[in-house]
Amino acid sequence: MSFTLWFMGRPASGKSTLAKRVESNLRELDFKVENLDGDEVRKNLHPDLGFTKEERALNNRRTAYVCKLLNRNDIATVTAMITPFRDAQQRAREIVESNGTFVLIYVKCSVEECARRDPKGLYEKAKTGKIENFTGINHPFQDPIDPEIIVDTDADDVEDCVAQIMNELHSRGVLEESRAEQYEFNVTQNEERAIRDRLKDLGYLD
């Protein structure tokens, strides 16, 4: 079993940027990790889905199931998805936690700042009615209840946010527990006794 880091927040809040940086840090720590970016997942796995509440929930649920399968095979996952509804946030948690640790990371950023940095101009198009069901403009966004980690990209730069996330993962024991699981093995009491006796014979134990 491993863990899933689920980055959620408004469009252009910085989710994907932070997810990629954290993924890089995990690889440097020798974790096996997959990054399931929301846009790429939609394009390649769920091209049939639109952006209604029901379709967004299905997209989140399918992605959570992929995370579950990867976690079950000791592969950590990092995913960045808007996940605007609390029931979908909770459902993703329930799916993943049957086979791994779920960490909800809220990438907090004001609508005004997201719109200012939006590289595709989607906020402006939504405001003028050219895009429907756009989160934060003409479609709801619900702040999560009790996320494990909150970073504020309005106030802090990328480096600071990444450091906050990594520090919190360490302090919560997520990384240490997962690392310990990689070296976990099971032996019977008789096997343990035989190993201890052999180590005593070799002089390693008193």
Side-chain angles (χ1 to χ4, degrees):
M1 291 174 60
S2 191
F3 58 86
T4 289
L5 307 182
W6 193 286
F7 290 75
M8 63 150 294
R10 294 182 174 86
S13 61
K15 302 181 300 300
S16 294
T17 299
L18 293 180
K20 289 176 183 177
R21 292 293 297 275
V22 170
E23 174 200 4
S24 178
N25 284 5
L26 293 176
R27 291 189 186 280
E28 289 179 2
L29 294 173
D30 293 326
F31 279 94
K32 293 183 293 183
V33 58
E34 287 292 337
N35 187 338
L36 304 178
D37 181 73
D39 290 340
E40 290 298 314
V41 168
R42 265 190 175 273
K43 176 181 176 182
N44 294 290
L45 294 183
H46 316 149
D48 55 316
L49 297 180
F51 293 91
T52 66
K53 179 178 180 179
E54 294 73 21
E55 288 170 313
R56 288 176 185 272
L58 181 56
N59 181 41
N60 295 153
R61 190 163 68 248
R62 287 176 176 177
T63 304
Y65 184 73
V66 175
C67 292
K68 169 187 174 178
L69 296 180
L70 291 169
N71 285 177
R72 191 170 69 189
N73 288 279
D74 295 323
I75 300 172
T77 61
V78 175
T79 186
M81 310 194 81
I82 297 171
T83 326
F85 297 101
R86 288 176 184 147
D87 54 354
Q89 298 160 17
Q90 181 59 30
R91 183 61 180 141
R93 179 185 298 278
E94 292 169 356
I95 291 171
V96 170
E97 285 186 338
S98 62
N99 279 103
T101 300
F102 183 85
V103 180
L104 185 62
I105 302 173
Y106 178 25
V107 182
K108 187 176 181 181
C109 191
S110 67
V111 173
E112 294 76 18
E113 176 59 20
C114 288
R116 187 192 67 78
R117 65 173 67 155
D118 176 21
K120 300 177 182 179
L122 299 179
Y123 278 87
E124 188 60 34
K125 291 179 181 178
K127 289 178 181 178
T128 58
K130 295 179 180 179
I131 298 178
E132 296 181 353
N133 297 327
F134 188 80
T135 302
I137 300 298
N138 49 23
H139 204 64
F141 178 84
Q142 297 176 334
D143 292 335
I145 298 175
D146 295 328
E148 279 74 15
I149 301 174
I150 300 175
V151 290
D152 188 344
T153 59
D154 244 336
D156 300 314
D157 62 21
V158 172
E159 295 292 341
D160 288 338
C161 289
V162 171
Q164 291 172 38
I165 292 167
M166 296 303 296
N167 288 338
E168 189 66 25
L169 291 174
H170 279 291
S171 67
R172 287 177 173 271
V174 173
L175 303 184
E176 285 73 12
E177 288 176 6
S178 297
R179 179 65 69 216
E181 288 171 359
Q182 292 183 23
Y183 298 100
E184 190 177 83
F185 60 95
N186 296 315
V187 296
T188 66
Q189 287 186 339
N190 287 338
E191 289 171 332
E192 181 181 355
R193 190 177 300 112
I195 292 170
R196 290 180 62 84
D197 290 344
R198 179 58 176 158
L199 290 174
K200 284 182 179 179
D201 291 342
L202 293 171
Y204 292 110
L205 295 177
D206 294 331

